[in-house]
């Protein structure tokens, strides 16, 4: 395997069983994402996008097939190891990973660092300040999430995703709840982050946003296809 592959999926299947009902949510998905690449995944509701992101984000395991993150097969490792990879290698910009209301902006951004023991406090402080500056949110550092606009909230979420220097950023509809102009500001931020070298997997319904990515995939009925570009 080439070292430039951050992520490889080989024939990944995910089958949900509810009582007697068996549902194939992913039917043999294969995908390679290179270091520094930005890919977008589109597809109708129910096509398996969240299922796919949950598997890549080590929040769930495939029924069969392999998922390699920087060469490590995460489909078979134990829960502790999975949590370690999730905390150290993945930056989430998910709706379900909302900010914690009782923590300030800076405390929310710092939260993922508590899972990584080897980080030095001074380095973390400096890094937090740099990231907040980069995202234009330094002035919001002591605010609570309830006092932030939608766009500000999403910037804080992005800052939190970047704090651990993840190998891979996973974003699920990051502009889904924003008005058009705030949405395009966030889309532009993604472009900046990508230009700074981050590897991004973005799920979005917004075609214009998806077109900023280098490659667009479409999921339909659990099957992933490239959209010719
Ligand atoms: P999308 O994100 O594209 O809307 P999902 O990955 O959420 O699609 O869902 C794909 C399909 O799998 C849907 O038909 C959904 O009902 C089903 N599904 C998702 N999660 C579960 C689950 N935990 N148990 C059973 N079925 C599920």
């Amino acid at each position: 395997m080439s070292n430039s592959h951050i992520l490889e999926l080989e024939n990944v299947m995910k089958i949900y069983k509810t009582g007697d009902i068996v549902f194939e949510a992913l039917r043999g998905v294969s995908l390679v994402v290179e270091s520094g690449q930005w890919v977008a995944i589109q597809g109708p509701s129910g096509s398996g996008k969240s299922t796919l992101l949950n598997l890549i984000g080590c929040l769930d395991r495939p029924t069969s097939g392999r998922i390699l993150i920087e060469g490590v097969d995460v489909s078979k490792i134990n829960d502790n190891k999975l949590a370690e990879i999730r905390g150290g290698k993945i930056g989430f910009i998910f709706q379900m990973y909302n900010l914690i209301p009782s923590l300030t902006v800076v405390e929310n951004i710092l939260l993922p660092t508590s899972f990584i023991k080897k980080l030095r406090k001074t380095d973390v402080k400096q890094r937090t300040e740099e990231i907040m500056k980069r995202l234009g949110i330094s002035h919001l550092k002591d605010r609570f999430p309830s006092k932030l606009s939608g766009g500000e909230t999403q910037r804080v979420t992005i800052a939190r995703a970047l704090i651990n220097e993840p190998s891979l950023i996973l974003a699920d509809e990051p502009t889904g709840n924003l008005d058009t102009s705030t949405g395009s500001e966030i889309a532009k931020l993604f472009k900046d982050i990508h230009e700074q070298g981050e590897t991004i997997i973005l799920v979005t319904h917004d075609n214009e946003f998806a077109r900023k990515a280098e490659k667009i995939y479409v999921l339909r009925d659990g099957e992933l296809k490239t959209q010719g570009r």
Side-chain angles (χ1 to χ4, degrees):
M1 193 202 71
S2 154
N3 284 333
S4 68
H5 293 178
I6 291 272
L7 175 73
E8 276 191 79
L9 271 71
E10 293 172 7
N11 205 20
V12 168
M13 309 266 292
K14 181 69 187 179
I15 298 172
Y16 292 116
K17 290 196 181 99
T18 322
D20 292 341
I21 303 165
V22 172
F23 184 81
E24 293 182 339
L26 296 177
R27 309 170 186 222
V29 169
S30 295
L31 170 71
V32 172
V33 179
E34 310 283 343
S35 176
Q37 200 180 16
W38 178 4
V39 308
I41 298 174
Q42 298 200 279
S45 180
S47 60
K49 303 182 298 295
S50 303
T51 300
L52 183 60
L53 279 192
N54 286 345
L55 294 179
I56 297 171
C58 301
L59 293 160
D60 199 1
R61 290 191 183 80
T63 308
S64 65
R66 300 209 307 161
I67 299 178
L68 297 128
I69 296 177
E70 293 183 324
V72 176
D73 187 351
V74 298
S75 34
K76 287 171 193 76
I77 59 179
N78 68 37
D79 284 354
N80 287 344
K81 193 91 185 110
L82 204 62
E84 202 177 290
I85 291 186
R86 183 163 65 230
K89 294 194 186 290
I90 317 271
F92 292 98
I93 306 176
F94 271 30
Q95 310 285 1
M96 57 182 274
Y97 270 74
N98 288 327
L99 300 178
I100 296 184
S102 59
L103 298 180
T104 63
V105 161
V106 70
E107 287 165 350
N108 266 287
I109 295 172
L110 281 167
L111 206 56
T113 64
S114 58
F115 300 110
I116 302 204
K117 294 177 186 71
K118 64 180 194 300
L119 295 174
R120 285 180 43 216
K121 275 220 172 70
T122 46
D123 294 347
V124 170
K125 188 166 179 287
Q126 193 186 356
R127 187 165 165 70
T128 311
E129 278 165 16
E130 275 166 19
I131 289 174
M132 286 195 296
K133 202 165 157 202
R134 205 161 121 193
L135 292 165
I137 53 172
S138 305
H139 62 296
L140 302 173
K141 92 191 246 290
D142 296 321
R143 273 212 208 159
F144 287 95
S146 62
K147 304 277 188 247
L148 300 174
S149 70
E152 288 166 348
T153 302
Q154 208 47 293
R155 282 168 193 264
V156 176
T157 310
I158 296 170
R160 185 186 54 179
L162 291 171
I163 193 72
N164 278 349
E165 301 186 322
S167 309
L168 190 57
I169 304 250
L170 300 181
D172 194 3
E173 295 287 357
T175 57
N177 297 324
L178 304 174
D179 62 71
T180 312
S181 80
T182 313
S184 41
E185 273 173 37
I186 296 297
K188 184 166 177 308
L189 265 180
F190 268 75
K191 199 165 187 323
D192 294 345
I193 290 167
H194 169 60
E195 279 164 7
Q196 284 152 7
E198 303 290 343
T199 310
I200 305 171
I201 300 184
L202 164 74
V203 165
T204 183
H205 278 110
D206 179 345
N207 295 337
E208 203 182 316
F209 191 7
R211 277 199 296 271
K212 291 189 195 295
E214 289 155 310
K215 206 161 181 180
I216 301 178
Y217 291 90
V218 179
L219 247 186
R220 218 166 252 121
D221 299 327
E223 289 181 31
L224 191 70
K225 306 234 158 78
T226 5
Q227 199 179 66
R229 279 219 311 162

